[in-house]
Amino acid sequence: VLTTRQKRIYELLKAKPSTLEEVSDITGSSTGVIKKHISNMRKSGVVIKSGRVTANSKIATYWVNTTDQEDEPRYKSGLEPGEQIFNSLLRLNRVIIDSNLYEPLNYDFERTIAIIGVGDIHCAHQHNDLQMVKTLFHDIIGKDCDIFCFLLGDLFDNSNGIKSPDGTHSTLDIEQEAVLLNYLLKPVRGKVLASCGGNHERRALRGAGFRMEKYLLKDISPFSPHGRHINLNVSGTNTKIYIRHQMDGHSQFNPLHPNTRAILFREAGDSDVIWRAHTHESAIGNYKVEGKYRTMLVSGTTVTYDEYADSLGMSPTISAYPMLILTKDGRRIPFRRTSDGLLVLNALRGGKA
């Protein structure tokens, strides 16, 4: 029979794989006490698995598989094996679905603000302009109280594994990239309104079991592996924003086509602003879709040359990061280049640096 504290730990590990530190933060018990509880639970027959996210990682993650142990015996009298499998899988699916439901993020400001959408840094890419990345985070976003950002995925490059396409190569391994990114992002802690994962983060998860949200962004911003909705209220005017690294419907002729489809096919809901990355080409526009004008933005990259993108006919070189200004009188003003947005932002503030 499990104690009350052990039942709490069991439910946490059943809902989501967690480290001892994460369980400790929720329960208030020390990591040593949590580890002792897990040991006692294992001795009593509870199956709790553990493992490390990478071969060189020192951090262990613990989890409970609902298919390993069930609330009822697997073949309870009166139920067919197929029904037992159905019930077990239904419980597992509910855990997975609930773990991927993200409520909209809500922010309130009483002044004009600006947002920069930063994605496709590909930190360890062999042709990356790291000085530009540092300037953006350390000198522009980090030092201006009115400028915030979205992180739009592919912060990692992670192109050394077997799942990487031909023509790609990273200068660092995944854990070194995490150390470098933590340094680059340190000045913008508290300035990142939302973040989402990209295809390179998914590659890190599939190839190395590396979860970016656990080892990089937990102190920086709310993270979603896919899309995220944000409500930004500026002086009484609410702007609904949808961000995602990659949206369906890529077009070399119209980079805003995926943004439009996100509205038409309800992925973005009734958002006023749809912002994506992925194709390494920046673009902005105001399109009338489903009866109202919506602001569309696509963020670029700091990679100066991408051989793989070039082979696919995509933009192979550096491209700007757009800025969106939300004024206290209710206007939305997009800029394809951050530098252009900075000039207007300063003008709106009366020339304040």
Side-chain angles (χ1 to χ4, degrees), residues 230-259:
I230 305 101
N231 293 315
L232 274 175
N233 187 301
V234 177
S235 300
T237 299
N238 186 59
T239 300
K240 293 179 286 187
I241 300 176
Y242 180 70
I243 66 169
R244 185 169 181 144
H245 176 74
Q246 182 178 357
M247 299 178 187
D248 291 335
H250 299 301
S251 169
Q252 294 179 353
F253 305 101
N254 179 8
L256 298 175
H257 180 59
N259 303 55

Short mmCIF file of all heavy atoms in Angstrom, two decimals, residues 230-259:
data_model
loop_
_atom_site.label_atom_id
_atom_site.label_comp_id
_atom_site.label_asym_id
_atom_site.label_seq_id
_atom_site.Cartn_x
_atom_site.Cartn_y
_atom_site.Cartn_z
N ILE A 230 -1.28 33.30 -28.08
CA ILE A 230 -0.94 34.33 -27.11
C ILE A 230 -1.94 35.47 -27.23
O ILE A 230 -2.27 35.91 -28.34
CB ILE A 230 0.49 34.90 -27.34
CG1 ILE A 230 1.52 33.77 -27.36
CG2 ILE A 230 0.84 35.93 -26.28
CD1 ILE A 230 1.98 33.35 -28.72
N ASN A 231 -2.44 35.94 -26.10
CA ASN A 231 -3.29 37.14 -26.05
C ASN A 231 -2.48 38.27 -25.46
O ASN A 231 -2.05 38.21 -24.31
CB ASN A 231 -4.53 36.89 -25.19
CG ASN A 231 -5.47 35.87 -25.81
OD1 ASN A 231 -5.74 35.91 -27.01
ND2 ASN A 231 -5.95 34.95 -25.00
N LEU A 232 -2.27 39.33 -26.27
CA LEU A 232 -1.51 40.49 -25.82
C LEU A 232 -2.45 41.68 -25.69
O LEU A 232 -2.96 42.18 -26.70
CB LEU A 232 -0.39 40.81 -26.80
CG LEU A 232 0.94 40.08 -26.61
CD1 LEU A 232 1.91 40.41 -27.71
CD2 LEU A 232 1.54 40.43 -25.27
N ASN A 233 -2.68 42.12 -24.47
CA ASN A 233 -3.55 43.26 -24.23
C ASN A 233 -2.67 44.50 -24.00
O ASN A 233 -1.95 44.58 -23.01
CB ASN A 233 -4.44 43.01 -23.02
CG ASN A 233 -5.47 44.10 -22.82
OD1 ASN A 233 -5.14 45.26 -22.65
ND2 ASN A 233 -6.74 43.71 -22.84
N VAL A 234 -2.74 45.44 -24.94
CA VAL A 234 -1.96 46.67 -24.84
C VAL A 234 -2.91 47.84 -24.67
O VAL A 234 -3.64 48.20 -25.60
CB VAL A 234 -1.06 46.87 -26.08
CG1 VAL A 234 -0.32 48.20 -25.98
CG2 VAL A 234 -0.08 45.72 -26.22
N SER A 235 -2.96 48.38 -23.47
CA SER A 235 -3.81 49.54 -23.16
C SER A 235 -5.26 49.32 -23.57
O SER A 235 -5.91 50.20 -24.13
CB SER A 235 -3.24 50.80 -23.82
OG SER A 235 -1.95 51.08 -23.36
N GLY A 236 -5.77 48.11 -23.32
CA GLY A 236 -7.17 47.81 -23.59
C GLY A 236 -7.47 47.20 -24.94
O GLY A 236 -8.59 46.75 -25.18
N THR A 237 -6.49 47.14 -25.84
CA THR A 237 -6.67 46.50 -27.15
C THR A 237 -6.04 45.11 -27.13
O THR A 237 -4.81 44.99 -26.95
CB THR A 237 -6.03 47.34 -28.28
OG1 THR A 237 -6.66 48.62 -28.33
CG2 THR A 237 -6.21 46.64 -29.63
N ASN A 238 -6.87 44.07 -27.30
CA ASN A 238 -6.36 42.70 -27.26
C ASN A 238 -5.99 42.23 -28.66
O ASN A 238 -6.76 42.37 -29.60
CB ASN A 238 -7.40 41.75 -26.67
CG ASN A 238 -6.83 40.35 -26.48
OD1 ASN A 238 -5.84 40.16 -25.77
ND2 ASN A 238 -7.43 39.37 -27.13
N THR A 239 -4.78 41.70 -28.81
CA THR A 239 -4.30 41.15 -30.07
C THR A 239 -4.07 39.66 -29.89
O THR A 239 -3.29 39.25 -29.02
CB THR A 239 -2.99 41.83 -30.52
OG1 THR A 239 -3.22 43.23 -30.68
CG2 THR A 239 -2.51 41.25 -31.84
N LYS A 240 -4.77 38.86 -30.69
CA LYS A 240 -4.62 37.40 -30.63
C LYS A 240 -3.53 36.97 -31.61
O LYS A 240 -3.62 37.24 -32.81
CB LYS A 240 -5.94 36.72 -30.95
CG LYS A 240 -7.02 36.95 -29.90
CD LYS A 240 -8.34 36.28 -30.26
CE LYS A 240 -9.05 37.03 -31.39
NZ LYS A 240 -10.40 36.48 -31.64
N ILE A 241 -2.51 36.29 -31.09
CA ILE A 241 -1.35 35.92 -31.89
C ILE A 241 -1.19 34.40 -31.88
O ILE A 241 -1.37 33.75 -30.85
CB ILE A 241 -0.06 36.58 -31.34
CG1 ILE A 241 -0.21 38.11 -31.36
CG2 ILE A 241 1.17 36.16 -32.14
CD1 ILE A 241 0.96 38.85 -30.74
N TYR A 242 -0.84 33.85 -33.04
CA TYR A 242 -0.54 32.42 -33.13
C TYR A 242 0.87 32.27 -33.69
O TYR A 242 1.20 32.84 -34.74
CB TYR A 242 -1.53 31.70 -34.04
CG TYR A 242 -1.25 30.21 -34.18
CD1 TYR A 242 -1.45 29.34 -33.11
CD2 TYR A 242 -0.78 29.69 -35.38
CE1 TYR A 242 -1.19 27.99 -33.23
CE2 TYR A 242 -0.53 28.33 -35.51
CZ TYR A 242 -0.73 27.48 -34.44
OH TYR A 242 -0.47 26.14 -34.55
N ILE A 243 1.73 31.53 -32.98
CA ILE A 243 3.09 31.28 -33.46
C ILE A 243 3.30 29.79 -33.67
O ILE A 243 2.74 28.96 -32.97
CB ILE A 243 4.15 31.82 -32.48
CG1 ILE A 243 4.12 31.07 -31.15
CG2 ILE A 243 3.99 33.32 -32.26
CD1 ILE A 243 5.31 31.36 -30.24
N ARG A 244 4.08 29.46 -34.65
CA ARG A 244 4.48 28.07 -34.89
C ARG A 244 5.71 28.08 -35.80
O ARG A 244 5.83 28.93 -36.67
CB ARG A 244 3.35 27.27 -35.54
CG ARG A 244 3.67 25.78 -35.70
CD ARG A 244 2.48 24.97 -36.07
NE ARG A 244 2.81 23.56 -36.19
CZ ARG A 244 2.02 22.56 -35.83
NH1 ARG A 244 0.83 22.82 -35.33
NH2 ARG A 244 2.40 21.31 -35.96
N HIS A 245 6.61 27.13 -35.57
CA HIS A 245 7.81 27.09 -36.40
C HIS A 245 7.46 26.80 -37.85
O HIS A 245 7.89 27.50 -38.76
CB HIS A 245 8.77 26.01 -35.88
CG HIS A 245 9.99 25.85 -36.74
ND1 HIS A 245 11.01 26.77 -36.76
CD2 HIS A 245 10.34 24.88 -37.65
CE1 HIS A 245 11.93 26.38 -37.62
NE2 HIS A 245 11.56 25.25 -38.17
N GLN A 246 6.67 25.77 -38.07
CA GLN A 246 6.40 25.28 -39.43
C GLN A 246 4.90 25.13 -39.62
O GLN A 246 4.21 24.53 -38.80
CB GLN A 246 7.10 23.94 -39.63
CG GLN A 246 6.95 23.34 -41.01
CD GLN A 246 7.73 22.03 -41.13
OE1 GLN A 246 8.43 21.62 -40.19
NE2 GLN A 246 7.64 21.38 -42.27
N MET A 247 4.37 25.70 -40.71
CA MET A 247 2.96 25.57 -41.04
C MET A 247 2.83 24.94 -42.42
O MET A 247 3.71 25.08 -43.27
CB MET A 247 2.28 26.95 -41.03
CG MET A 247 2.32 27.64 -39.69
SD MET A 247 1.56 29.29 -39.74
CE MET A 247 1.97 29.89 -38.09
N ASP A 248 1.73 24.23 -42.65
CA ASP A 248 1.53 23.54 -43.91
C ASP A 248 1.30 24.52 -45.06
O ASP A 248 0.76 25.61 -44.88
CB ASP A 248 0.32 22.60 -43.82
CG ASP A 248 0.59 21.42 -42.91
OD1 ASP A 248 1.77 21.07 -42.75
OD2 ASP A 248 -0.37 20.86 -42.35
N GLY A 249 1.72 24.09 -46.27
CA GLY A 249 1.42 24.87 -47.46
C GLY A 249 2.55 25.77 -47.92
O GLY A 249 2.32 26.90 -48.34
N HIS A 250 3.79 25.28 -47.84
CA HIS A 250 4.93 26.11 -48.24
C HIS A 250 4.88 26.44 -49.73
O HIS A 250 4.50 25.63 -50.57
CB HIS A 250 6.25 25.40 -47.92
CG HIS A 250 6.42 25.10 -46.47
ND1 HIS A 250 6.42 26.08 -45.51
CD2 HIS A 250 6.55 23.94 -45.80
CE1 HIS A 250 6.56 25.54 -44.33
NE2 HIS A 250 6.65 24.23 -44.47
N SER A 251 5.26 27.68 -50.05
CA SER A 251 5.29 28.13 -51.44
C SER A 251 6.52 28.99 -51.65
O SER A 251 6.77 29.93 -50.88
CB SER A 251 4.02 28.93 -51.77
OG SER A 251 4.15 29.59 -53.01
N GLN A 252 7.31 28.68 -52.69
CA GLN A 252 8.46 29.51 -53.01
C GLN A 252 8.04 30.85 -53.59
O GLN A 252 8.82 31.80 -53.63
CB GLN A 252 9.36 28.77 -54.01
CG GLN A 252 10.00 27.52 -53.44
CD GLN A 252 10.86 26.79 -54.45
OE1 GLN A 252 10.87 27.16 -55.63
NE2 GLN A 252 11.58 25.79 -54.02
N PHE A 253 6.80 30.94 -54.08
CA PHE A 253 6.32 32.16 -54.71
C PHE A 253 5.60 33.07 -53.72
O PHE A 253 5.57 34.29 -53.90
CB PHE A 253 5.38 31.81 -55.87
CG PHE A 253 6.02 30.89 -56.88
CD1 PHE A 253 5.74 29.53 -56.88
CD2 PHE A 253 6.93 31.38 -57.80
CE1 PHE A 253 6.33 28.68 -57.80
CE2 PHE A 253 7.54 30.54 -58.72
CZ PHE A 253 7.24 29.19 -58.72
N ASN A 254 5.00 32.51 -52.67
CA ASN A 254 4.28 33.30 -51.68
C ASN A 254 4.60 32.77 -50.29
O ASN A 254 3.95 31.84 -49.81
CB ASN A 254 2.77 33.25 -51.94
CG ASN A 254 1.98 34.05 -50.91
OD1 ASN A 254 2.55 34.77 -50.10
ND2 ASN A 254 0.66 33.93 -50.96
N PRO A 255 5.60 33.35 -49.62
CA PRO A 255 6.00 32.84 -48.30
C PRO A 255 4.92 32.99 -47.23
O PRO A 255 5.03 32.38 -46.17
CB PRO A 255 7.23 33.68 -47.95
CG PRO A 255 7.11 34.91 -48.79
CD PRO A 255 6.44 34.48 -50.06
N LEU A 256 3.88 33.80 -47.49
CA LEU A 256 2.81 33.98 -46.51
C LEU A 256 1.65 33.01 -46.71
O LEU A 256 0.69 33.04 -45.95
CB LEU A 256 2.30 35.43 -46.57
CG LEU A 256 3.34 36.51 -46.24
CD1 LEU A 256 2.75 37.89 -46.44
CD2 LEU A 256 3.84 36.35 -44.81
N HIS A 257 1.76 32.16 -47.73
CA HIS A 257 0.69 31.19 -47.99
C HIS A 257 0.42 30.27 -46.79
O HIS A 257 -0.75 30.04 -46.44
CB HIS A 257 1.02 30.38 -49.24
CG HIS A 257 -0.02 29.37 -49.60
ND1 HIS A 257 -1.32 29.70 -49.87
CD2 HIS A 257 0.06 28.02 -49.72
CE1 HIS A 257 -2.01 28.61 -50.15
NE2 HIS A 257 -1.21 27.58 -50.07
N PRO A 258 1.46 29.73 -46.11
CA PRO A 258 1.18 28.88 -44.94
C PRO A 258 0.46 29.63 -43.83
O PRO A 258 -0.38 29.05 -43.13
CB PRO A 258 2.58 28.43 -44.50
CG PRO A 258 3.43 28.58 -45.71
CD PRO A 258 2.89 29.76 -46.44
N ASN A 259 0.77 30.91 -43.64
CA ASN A 259 0.09 31.70 -42.62
C ASN A 259 -1.40 31.81 -42.93
O ASN A 259 -2.24 31.69 -42.04
CB ASN A 259 0.70 33.10 -42.55
CG ASN A 259 2.19 33.09 -42.29
OD1 ASN A 259 2.95 32.46 -43.01
ND2 ASN A 259 2.63 33.81 -41.27
#
